[in-house]
Amino acid sequence: MAFELPKLPYEYSSLEPHIDARTMEIHYTKHHQAYVTNLNNALAGTDGEKLSIEEICKNISKYPVAVRNNGGGHFNHSLFWSIMGPNKGGQPSGALMEAINSQLGGWEKFKEDFNKAATTRFGSGWAWLCVDANKKLCVCSSPNQDNPLMDVSDCKGTPILGLDVWEHAYYLHYQNRRPDYCAAFWNVVNWDEVSKRFEQAL
Ligand code: MN3
């Protein structure tokens, strides 16, 4: 079965003023769609067509680079849309907040480390909050469309929060001001979804 663009759970304009509607529309309908189309083309006629995107990522070293780039792009953007939403932001609660406090040095330290991962990633890539193999939270970044599920990744784990720092994600509104985009991101994080992913990863 071919991979499909997941439905966006809100309007393009829903994340304004933090992420503008035009950026959302192009990002979703052009960039993400291209990853899906190119992934399907790269997997056509292979056993990969029967697998989930997570299973493919976990064994990505066995696939051609087109699957790594486009499969990563599909997984990463599907996660990205889901962990944002209108009227979100604030802080997580419950078990996730307790884990941030006990494992990542608290809320402010976590935000600082995540922002640093996002702003210092050279070129294109992603910043992540993950649950690692020991069920502990960790913050890291990856280049291009790699992600922590991939067996080739330096940073490994189950991503529960991700921030796209490719220029296509912010250039129309923020131009070269990646730190401003990273700061604005906190206003649209859907912590209920991140918490759900945290519980599932444990
Ligand atoms: Mn993108």
Side-chain angles (χ1 to χ4, degrees):
M1 205 187 83
F3 290 102
E4 291 175 0
L5 194 63
K7 188 172 160 33
L8 196 67
Y10 40 79
E11 303 296 317
Y12 300 134
S13 61
S14 294
L15 306 182
E16 290 195 344
H18 310 293
I19 301 180
D20 65 284
R22 184 79 176 126
T23 294
M24 283 298 297
E25 181 176 4
I26 295 170
H27 202 173
Y28 174 76
T29 65
K30 305 295 184 192
H31 292 275
H32 192 172
Q33 180 63 62
Y35 296 125
V36 170
T37 301
N38 293 334
L39 174 63
N40 286 331
N41 289 340
L43 289 174
T46 73
D47 290 345
E49 285 187 304
K50 303 184 191 87
L51 300 175
S52 70
I53 193 60
E54 288 83 2
E55 289 171 307
I56 290 170
C57 286
K58 285 174 184 175
N59 292 294
I60 204 70
S61 60
K62 300 193 177 94
Y63 292 87
V65 68
V67 175
R68 179 172 171 176
N69 290 339
N70 295 290
H74 177 45
F75 174 86
N76 297 348
H77 288 84
S78 299
L79 182 143
F80 189 48
W81 311 135
S82 80
I83 57 85
M84 298 191 291
N87 307 310
K88 299 295 182 185
Q91 297 182 4
S93 56
L96 176 57
M97 192 60 171
E98 285 169 27
I100 288 171
N101 284 329
S102 63
Q103 297 164 23
L104 297 179
W107 173 249
E108 292 302 328
K109 179 72 165 64
F110 156 62
K111 274 180 62 174
E112 184 185 320
D113 288 348
F114 189 93
N115 281 337
K116 189 174 173 192
T119 54
T120 61
R121 163 53 57 189
F122 184 75
S124 298
W126 290 75
W128 304 104
L129 172 63
C130 303
V131 177
D132 71 14
N134 298 317
K135 307 292 182 192
K136 300 290 186 201
L137 291 175
C138 64
V139 170
C140 62
S141 72
S142 59
N144 304 315
Q145 294 296 356
D146 286 358
N147 65 53
L149 290 178
M150 291 183 175
D151 57 0
V152 296
S153 181
D154 291 334
C155 134
K156 285 201 183 58
T158 303
I160 61 172
L161 175 72
L163 175 58
D164 188 343
V165 296
W166 284 57
E167 283 189 344
H168 69 227
Y170 62 86
Y171 206 85
L172 284 181
H173 186 68
Y174 293 96
Q175 293 82 50
N176 62 321
R177 302 188 311 277
R178 188 193 287 188
D180 291 354
Y181 160 72
C182 294
F185 171 66
W186 299 105
N187 295 302
V188 296
V189 175
N190 179 351
W191 288 109
D192 290 339
E193 176 65 21
V194 180
S195 288
K196 196 177 93 189
R197 289 174 177 269
F198 175 63
E199 309 277 352
Q200 286 168 351
L202 292 179

